[in-house]
Amino acid sequence: MTSRPRTRAKVLLRVLLAAGAILAIALVARAYVQQNRDLESARSDLAKLDSLIPEERTSANVVPEGESTPSPVINIDGRDYVGILEIPSLDVRLPIAASWRPESPRPGAYSGILERGTLTIGGPNTAGQLGRLTETADGDRFTITDVTGRVFTFEVATIETVKSDEKAKILEKVEPWDVSLFADTFSGQEFRVLRGTAVPVFNDN
């Protein structure tokens, strides 16, 4: 008589496990679809932003001293952008929104000013965006083009890990870094932070 309840319990357990597996697969699939939509939306805005930035691009230097005026922006479909981030070693080229929020589907300025060497950019940790920062190597070059057509070039200096409850450390300038990029990990417990130093441009004149 005791075998039937045990059999039913085993069947119920299997059903629950199967249902849980199906739900997990469905959630992963939904997240994947949403990530692709976000990336396509970002690329659509990138194309529009690219067409609005002057075609003639000029290399520019970071100048730490000077007036800290807000970065110029271009508005696209109600969203303000301050420039374009390009990381060739990761095949990443994305628009930079004027502000960053944790739930934002594209990179955005979290703090600081590009030309003053204080800019910090946060972004999604997904493929095609900022989810592969740890795959860069020291010395890899990347650029940020502002909306006036100035191109600032940087080199990867280091990659740091910052705990989520110590987020203020992302803005700490312990070394002479000129830009920081960050994204949280999938667990949400940490941030991966890429620190970059500016590559100077020498005028021939």
Side-chain angles (χ1 to χ4, degrees):
M1 295 294 292
T2 58
S3 61
R4 288 183 180 179
R6 290 178 180 175
T7 301
R8 290 175 181 172
K10 289 180 179 179
V11 171
L12 179 60
L13 179 60
R14 290 173 182 171
V15 170
L16 291 175
L17 289 174
I22 292 171
L23 178 60
I25 292 172
L27 291 174
V28 170
R30 181 179 179 182
Y32 178 77
V33 170
Q34 186 60 52
Q35 288 174 14
N36 283 340
R37 287 176 179 170
D38 291 342
L39 186 56
E40 287 304 312
S41 175
R43 286 173 174 168
S44 175
D45 282 0
L46 171 64
K48 296 174 185 176
L49 182 60
D50 232 345
S51 69
L52 295 172
I53 294 176
E55 289 186 12
E56 185 176 346
R57 312 285 165 94
T58 58
S59 297
N61 281 312
V62 165
V63 182
E65 297 81 16
E67 186 179 353
S68 296
T69 56
S71 300
V73 302
I74 287 179
N75 186 278
I76 297 175
D77 299 330
R79 289 184 289 267
D80 286 339
Y81 288 99
V82 294
I84 295 172
L85 168 67
E86 185 168 7
I87 311 175
S89 62
L90 299 182
D91 193 27
V92 164
R93 192 166 190 269
L94 294 165
I96 307 168
S99 61
W100 174 83
R101 302 183 310 277
E103 68 278 8
S104 177
R106 66 206 71 201
Y110 177 54
S111 178
I113 297 174
L114 174 60
E115 66 180 322
R116 295 292 172 250
T118 58
L119 183 64
T120 297
I121 298 171
N125 64 357
T126 53
Q129 301 218 41
L130 301 188
R132 297 168 52 213
L133 293 178
T134 57
E135 296 180 28
T136 58
D138 289 357
D140 281 358
R141 292 194 174 188
F142 61 98
T143 62
I144 297 176
T145 303
D146 73 7
V147 298
T148 68
R150 295 181 302 171
V151 182
F152 296 81
T153 301
F154 303 90
E155 286 185 347
V156 176
T158 188
I159 301 288
E160 298 180 343
T161 296
V162 174
K163 293 182 179 179
S164 59
D165 59 355
E166 298 178 338
K167 192 174 178 181
K169 287 186 176 181
I170 293 176
L171 300 180
E172 291 181 0
K173 199 167 183 176
V174 179
E175 300 290 337
W177 301 307
D178 298 301
V179 71
S180 297
L181 314 177
F182 72 90
D184 64 352
T185 59
F186 285 106
S187 68
Q189 300 300 307
E190 296 174 329
F191 292 98
R192 299 286 186 255
V193 187
L194 182 155
R195 307 292 192 181
T197 54
V199 177
V201 177
F202 298 100
N203 197 324
D204 293 334
N205 294 330

